[in-house]
Amino acid sequence: MKKKNIILSAVLCAGLQVSAQELIWEEDFEGDSLNMENWSYETGDGCPDLCGWGNNERQIYSEDYVEVKDGNLVLTADKVGDKYYSGKVNTKDKFEFQYGTVEVRAKLPDGHGLWPAIWMLGDNIDVVGWPASGEIDIMEFVGRQPDTIHNALHTPASHGDTENIKTTPVKNATSEFRVFKMNWTEDAITFYIDGEKTYTFSPSEKNEETYPYRHPFYFLLNLAVGGNFGGPEVDDSIFPKQFLIDYVKVYK
């Protein structure tokens, strides 16, 4: 009984901690269209400046593959003829913030060659470029690893390479909606999957090279096809596939 009480107390304390924070931004994807006050579409194949979006991805992003339906943002990947299409949105110049707790409830698509992601980039990217801007990958999943979810960070110190990463086994990762959470402070970034802490990033020496996370960031949501991480092989028999995002919440 004592052990049960301790566990219950820990759960209650965790709940009180979240509820004590102020909800500063929320997107529930209600209605039947994307809220353009919060989001912008990213379209094309990244060319001429960043062909394949820098990762040899195969998809062409189009507004036609982004919809709001049944309380979810729906990003659909499909193959039409010999071309792949999908959806991508961001909050650049519309909602950017520095420090806080993020919660995103989403259902991942299955299929070899898919690469859905919930991530963030620094608001200074147009000035300093990538990876100097910093990148926070709240969730990355690749269909060729069906029981694995990734949290990662890209910094100038790692030359943009994925050195700061945690790979977490999640059985039947695509079978249901899951909650991906990140707590971001001046000195550390901690990730959670369905309430379980998976990774804390806090380098001993913090500067613009090792911890470029002391300025505002914005959200990106996308469903890539193939690429250096998602591919290279793509199972064409899987299409179409959908990445569903129920909500995005930010607390301070």
Side-chain angles (χ1 to χ4, degrees), residues 63-136:
E63 296 180 20
D64 295 339
Y65 294 82
V66 180
E67 63 178 330
V68 174
K69 183 178 180 180
D70 299 327
N72 296 308
L73 173 67
V74 183
L75 304 180
T76 300
D78 203 0
K79 187 178 185 185
V80 180
D82 61 352
K83 297 184 182 298
Y84 299 90
Y85 293 91
S86 191
K88 181 179 184 180
V89 297
N90 69 60
T91 64
K92 189 173 188 289
D93 298 325
K94 294 184 176 180
F95 176 70
E96 299 168 347
F97 72 103
Q98 181 175 348
Y99 309 140
T101 297
V102 175
E103 286 189 354
V104 182
R105 185 173 185 264
K107 187 175 187 297
L108 308 177
D110 63 330
H112 197 114
L114 296 182
W115 179 7
I118 301 165
W119 52 304
M120 301 175 68
L121 286 171
D123 68 337
N124 59 350
I125 190 168
D126 291 340
V127 177
V128 302
W130 184 93
S133 63
E135 177 179 328
I136 304 171

Side-chain angles (χ1 to χ4, degrees), residues 189-209:
I189 298 174
T190 303
F191 300 93
Y192 303 79
I193 300 174
D194 289 336
E196 297 291 328
K197 183 165 71 173
T198 58
Y199 179 40
T200 296
F201 176 73
S202 182
S204 56
E205 181 180 354
K206 297 177 180 65
N207 53 47
E208 288 301 313
E209 295 291 309

Side-chain angles (χ1 to χ4, degrees), residues 155-241:
T155 69
S158 66
H159 306 289
D161 293 338
T162 311
E163 294 179 0
N164 311 303
I165 185 170
K166 177 62 183 293
T167 297
T168 302
V170 179
K171 190 171 178 61
N172 301 318
T174 63
S175 64
E176 59 188 294
F177 277 88
R178 301 189 180 279
V179 176
F180 305 99
K181 176 181 169 183
M182 176 198 70
N183 186 52
W184 170 28
T185 71
E186 184 179 3
D187 296 314
I189 298 174
T190 303
F191 300 93
Y192 303 79
I193 300 174
D194 289 336
E196 297 291 328
K197 183 165 71 173
T198 58
Y199 179 40
T200 296
F201 176 73
S202 182
S204 56
E205 181 180 354
K206 297 177 180 65
N207 53 47
E208 288 301 313
E209 295 291 309
T210 62
Y211 197 81
Y213 303 113
R214 289 174 170 170
H215 57 265
F217 274 62
Y218 63 90
F219 288 114
L220 302 97
L221 305 172
N222 71 286
L223 175 54
V225 178
N228 299 338
F229 192 36
E233 295 83 10
V234 177
D235 178 4
D236 289 342
S237 70
I238 65 175
F239 296 105
K241 285 290 183 178

